Amino acid sequence: MNIKKVFCEECRNDVSYVETFVPMVGTIKEKGYCYVGKEAHCADCGSQLFIPELSDFNLRTLYDVYRKENGIISLEQIQEIPEKYSIGKRPLSLLLGWGEQTFSRYADGDIPTKQYSDTLLHIYNDPAFYSELLEANKGNLKSVLAYQKSRRAATALLSTDLSVGSKINTVIQYVLSQCEDITPLALQKALYYIQGFYFAFYKTFLFHEDCQAWVHGPVYREIYIRYRDYRFDPIEKADDFDVSVFSSGEKAIYDSVINNICCYSGKVLERFTHNELPWLTARGDLPITAPSDRIIEKTLIGDYFSTVKAKYNMVNPNDIKGYAQDMFLCK
């Protein structure tokens, strides 16, 4: 077993050392950030020692805290993007219209600006968004092979997201089997309310997909793309559905949303969501007619519907009816 030793200026000798976690404060852009770092002390005299590896660890930890508090994408997420989409670091920079080395610097630890971070986070979370970028900017790539390789990866991810076996798609099929004339707009709102009320009752989210704060309320982008050709027309009704794939708790939420939410038109449900905190918070100061792909964070949805459940003293999913009726009467 190799025991690491470093030179101690007090002992004037190579010594072993002890690592400890300690509270620290670091400054980035004239603001202090608290974090838990590491210190090394001589095992013989107790003097603090400088260890390059620990200094690097503390810097990474400080940067991680800065990223988290300022909504900056994590280093791990940045490093996963090229592998996720089968594209090199330099080609990715070119695809985004950045300097050829820009993404490489971020992958090595440099902190991106908020604007660049938002773009990278959107790419990380949304294969459909990346797919659109790839098609729009493929002329920036120096190799057709680079485009083709990344195109295959993006297509595979989209296929996985929209696979019949995924939870959101299974729920869609059930909703379509129960509703005679549901439009794409109303379907989007049904999924949003199912996500919110399921969390309120069972403290977990059904769908891993994020919805976005579009002009017409919460929207799941991939689902919009699938059904956009229907526009304002009802989606074709699905065949009979085997409900045995659902737990009793899941089905109770689905049925209550179908009975108490889907009885309203998509435009009415749009008005509902325009008066609710998750959509309002995600939109921020955007004008009501401004396009947006801002994600409505799951925590916002969960917190809001948990508050609604408590306010309306909901004991079981059937109690969603009272909230829906109040929202309909709200002007």
Side-chain angles (χ1 to χ4, degrees):
M1 177 178 178
N2 293 326
I3 299 176
K4 289 185 178 181
K5 291 194 173 187
V6 295
F7 184 76
C8 174
E9 294 185 357
E10 293 294 327
C11 298
R12 308 304 296 174
N13 195 12
D14 288 336
V15 298
S16 58
Y17 58 88
V18 177
E19 295 181 10
T20 56
F21 287 98
V22 294
M24 294 183 175
V25 177
T27 302
I28 298 179
K29 296 182 179 180
E30 301 181 352
K31 181 179 177 181
Y33 294 89
C34 298
Y35 65 101
V36 177
K38 288 183 179 181
E39 285 184 354
H41 293 268
C42 173
D44 295 333
C45 72
S47 299
Q48 185 172 341
L49 305 173
F50 174 76
I51 310 295
E53 293 84 354
L54 298 193
S55 179
D56 292 342
F57 172 85
N58 291 338
L59 187 60
R60 289 195 303 271
T61 305
L62 171 61
Y63 281 0
D64 286 345
V65 171
Y66 172 83
R67 290 171 188 267
K68 186 173 182 180
E69 292 192 16
N70 292 277
I72 303 296
I73 186 173
S74 72
L75 178 59
E76 291 76 14
Q77 289 172 318
I78 289 175
Q79 293 172 339
E80 287 176 20
I81 290 174
E83 182 177 355
K84 182 174 183 177
Y85 294 109
S86 295
I87 189 169
K89 297 174 184 177
R90 291 183 181 182
L92 180 57
S93 267
L94 295 174
L95 184 71
L96 296 172
W98 298 350
E100 193 167 354
Q101 297 294 332
T102 301
F103 183 84
S104 295
R105 289 191 291 102
Y106 295 153
D108 288 338
D110 281 5
I111 299 178
T113 63
K114 187 66 167 67
Q115 179 182 354
Y116 279 23
S117 169
D118 288 346
T119 298
L120 292 173
L121 195 57
H122 198 169
I123 288 171
Y124 178 84
N125 287 318
D126 191 346
F129 176 68
Y130 176 81
S131 181
E132 292 171 7
L133 281 177
L134 183 62
E135 289 304 312
N137 299 336
K138 60 185 178 183
N140 293 350
L141 299 175
K142 295 180 179 181
S143 166
V144 175
L145 290 176
Y147 162 76
Q148 293 174 339
K149 184 178 179 182
S150 192
R151 175 74 274 160
R152 288 193 294 269
T155 300
L157 286 168
L158 286 171
S159 177
T160 299
D161 283 348
L162 296 177
S163 65
V164 175
S166 70
K167 177 65 72 173
I168 196 168
N169 288 286
T170 305
V171 172
I172 287 172
Q173 291 306 304
Y174 181 64
V175 172
L176 294 180
S177 74
Q178 300 298 304
C179 297
E180 293 290 341
D181 55 357
I182 189 168
T183 63
L185 183 61
L187 176 62
Q188 292 282 357
K189 305 307 171 281
L191 296 173
Y192 165 74
Y193 282 112
I194 285 171
Q195 177 84 309
F197 280 117
Y198 188 85
F199 182 88
F201 278 92
Y202 304 111
K203 301 307 176 188
T204 187
F205 291 106
L206 277 169
F207 312 140
H208 69 82
E209 294 86 352
D210 286 311
C211 61
Q212 299 175 350
W214 287 21
V215 170
H216 298 294
V219 169
Y220 291 89
R221 175 190 284 269
E222 291 83 359
I223 307 306
Y224 165 79
I225 292 172
R226 189 192 308 178
Y227 294 110
R228 61 185 170 188
D229 289 343
Y230 283 91
R231 296 178 61 80
F232 304 108
D233 296 327
I235 301 171
E236 183 179 355
K237 195 172 187 293
D239 295 332
D240 292 340
F241 190 92
D242 179 8
V243 297
S244 66
V245 299
F246 298 141
S247 69
S248 58
E250 289 175 352
K251 188 173 183 298
I253 294 291
Y254 307 154
D255 288 343
S256 185
V257 169
I258 289 169
N259 294 330
N260 299 306
I261 299 290
C262 295
C263 58
Y264 299 104
S265 70
K267 293 303 292 182
V268 170
L269 295 178
E270 174 186 316
R271 175 168 62 80
F272 283 17
T273 61
H274 281 195
N275 288 311
E276 293 170 339
L277 195 60
W279 184 84
L280 291 169
T281 301
R283 295 282 297 184
D285 57 358
L286 286 176
I288 194 168
T289 58
S292 168
D293 55 12
R294 293 180 181 177
I295 290 174
I296 304 178
E297 298 294 342
K298 289 187 179 71
T299 52
L300 281 175
I301 298 173
D303 290 346
Y304 176 77
F305 284 97
S306 294
T307 300
V308 167
K309 178 177 179 290
K311 179 180 178 181
Y312 282 80
N313 297 312
M314 294 182 182
V315 177
N316 62 64
N318 288 329
D319 296 329
I320 293 172
K321 181 178 181 179
Y323 174 73
Q325 290 176 335
D326 281 359
M327 292 300 292
F328 179 70
L329 296 174
C330 179
K331 300 298 182 181

